[in-house]
């Protein structure tokens, strides 16, 4: 932790998000009541996170002349999301935490996505494609400057979350990599209902509609003030549901159990 000329403590957080299609690394600094995004490197392209995350981290550290020994915590998007992406982000954060002896701050992926839309008066509904006709989703709103959950993160059918939003009586903004996958179905379910009620739904613009490590890092500063930190050894990603291999194994075990005399 550094100190400013006024004697105020300066906190620096290194943030990582590889929970979805996007890979993102950021450095966020808090100086008294003010916070700043010092740097953010985000890539939404075809390379795997195992190819991109560490080179992005190296580049952002080089460009900002950051001494990693002087960061205060490592923030990581903790899930839900891609099983492989979450494992890469978690392993990177845990490795850095152990090597540098720094705490980790686990920020739920959907909370980070919703935080992109800071200050909106509408409900926020992040959608991540969970395959198998499901999305990882939740429902959020801002009360003052605080992000609040109205529906906790869950893996559900797109119709289930759409119908729930119809019953909440509010405008809503959607974002996340599930939007292009399910946008047509959302419009089929929501349009008539929302028009009849005089409400609107919309979709976040390109610069706000995917994961950003800057949001993860900024939320992590709030979590740190609340004491919501963990050791690197304690950290585990939150997958929300079993992997395909685990589901298949469970089904095989259930079938074998049913065949027993």
């Amino acid at each position: 932790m550094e100190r400013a000329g006024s004697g105020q403590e300066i906190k620096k957080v290194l943030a990582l998000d590889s929970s979805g299609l996007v890979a993102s690394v950021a450095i966020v600094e808090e100086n008294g009541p003010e916070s700043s995004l010092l740097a953010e490197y985000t890539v939404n392209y075809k390379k795997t996170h195992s190819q991109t995350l560490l080179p992005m981290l190296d580049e952002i550290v080089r460009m900002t002349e950051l001494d990693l020994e002087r960061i205060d915590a490592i923030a990581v998007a903790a899930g839900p999301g891609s099983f492989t992406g979450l494992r890469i982000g978690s392993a990177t954060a845990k490795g850095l935490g152990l090597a540098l002896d720094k705490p980790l701050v686990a920020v739920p992926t959907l909370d980070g996505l919703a935080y992109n839309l800071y200050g909106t008066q509408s409900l926020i509904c992040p959608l991540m494609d969970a395959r198998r006709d499901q999305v990882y989703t939740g429902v959020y709103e801002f009360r003052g400057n605080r992000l609040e959950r109205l529906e906790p993160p869950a893996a559900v059918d797109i119709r289930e979350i759409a119908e729930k939003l119809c019953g909440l009586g509010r405008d809503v903004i959607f974002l996340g990599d599930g939007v292009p996958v399910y946008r047509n179905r959302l419009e089929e379910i929501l349009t008539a209902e929302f028009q009849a009620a005089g409400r609107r739904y919309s979709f976040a613009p390109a610069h706000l509609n995917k994961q950003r490590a800057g949001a993860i890092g900024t939320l992590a500063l709030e979590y740190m003030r609340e004491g919501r930190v963990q050791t690197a050894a304690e950290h585990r990603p939150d997958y929300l549901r079993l992997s395909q291999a685990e589901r298949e194994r469970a089904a095989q075990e259930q079938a074998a159990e049913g065949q027993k005399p």
Side-chain angles (χ1 to χ4, degrees):
M1 186 178 294
E2 301 177 17
R3 288 188 178 274
S6 62
Q8 290 181 322
E9 294 178 342
I10 301 175
K11 293 180 182 177
K12 279 191 174 71
V13 171
L14 173 66
L16 310 171
D17 192 331
S18 59
S19 58
L21 298 176
V22 170
S24 187
V25 181
I27 300 166
V28 181
E29 178 182 272
E30 181 180 71
N31 185 354
E34 302 297 326
S35 59
S36 299
L37 177 61
L38 298 185
E40 185 177 56
Y41 190 163
T42 298
V43 174
N44 180 19
Y45 197 59
K46 300 173 184 179
K47 293 183 179 180
T48 65
H49 297 327
S50 60
Q51 294 175 292
T52 57
L53 199 63
L54 285 176
M56 290 165 62
L57 172 60
D58 288 342
E59 181 66 11
I60 209 170
V61 167
R62 184 185 69 81
M63 290 292 290
T64 59
E65 301 177 337
L66 175 67
D67 179 359
L68 285 174
E69 295 285 350
R70 304 187 74 171
I71 64 172
D72 296 284
I74 299 150
V76 61
S82 156
F83 284 76
T84 301
L86 288 174
R87 284 192 287 266
I88 291 169
S90 176
T92 303
K94 286 168 73 74
L96 287 168
L98 290 168
L100 299 170
D101 192 24
K102 301 294 182 181
L104 265 60
V105 184
V107 178
T109 304
L110 294 168
D111 291 25
L113 262 172
Y115 204 72
N116 285 354
L117 302 181
Y118 181 92
T120 180
Q121 298 300 306
S122 300
L123 297 180
I124 306 166
C125 184
L127 301 172
M128 296 180 68
D129 185 14
R131 309 293 175 86
R132 300 167 62 90
D133 293 322
Q134 288 192 324
V135 288
Y136 297 122
T137 188
V139 180
Y140 298 81
E141 69 173 353
F142 278 95
R143 296 175 187 167
N145 61 358
R146 189 170 182 84
L147 181 69
E148 301 286 352
R149 289 178 177 175
L150 299 184
E151 293 289 337
V156 300
D157 183 270
I158 190 66
R159 177 168 288 278
E160 181 177 337
I161 189 64
E163 291 177 347
K164 190 163 290 185
L165 288 165
C166 286
L168 291 177
R170 301 267 300 279
D171 292 350
V172 60
I173 304 175
F174 296 97
L175 74 165
D177 61 39
V179 168
V181 180
Y182 295 103
R183 180 168 181 157
N184 289 343
R185 289 183 63 188
L186 277 172
E187 291 176 338
E188 290 172 4
I189 299 166
L190 296 179
T191 299
E193 182 83 23
F194 271 55
Q195 287 179 347
R199 294 185 286 124
R200 297 177 60 252
Y201 65 85
S202 57
F203 301 93
H207 66 296
L208 298 173
N209 70 0
K210 299 292 192 302
Q211 288 91 331
R212 293 185 59 179
I216 297 296
T218 305
L219 267 178
L221 289 169
E222 291 190 13
Y223 286 15
M224 290 168 68
R225 289 192 290 271
E226 298 168 1
R228 296 164 63 181
V229 298
Q230 57 188 185
T231 66
E234 290 172 330
H235 175 68
R236 298 288 185 278
D238 182 8
Y239 297 113
L240 263 191
R241 70 179 191 187
L242 298 176
S243 68
Q244 182 175 347
E246 290 170 320
R247 291 194 299 269
E248 289 174 353
R249 184 170 63 248
Q252 290 170 357
E253 291 173 353
Q254 186 175 12
E257 188 69 26
Q259 291 172 2
K260 288 182 180 179

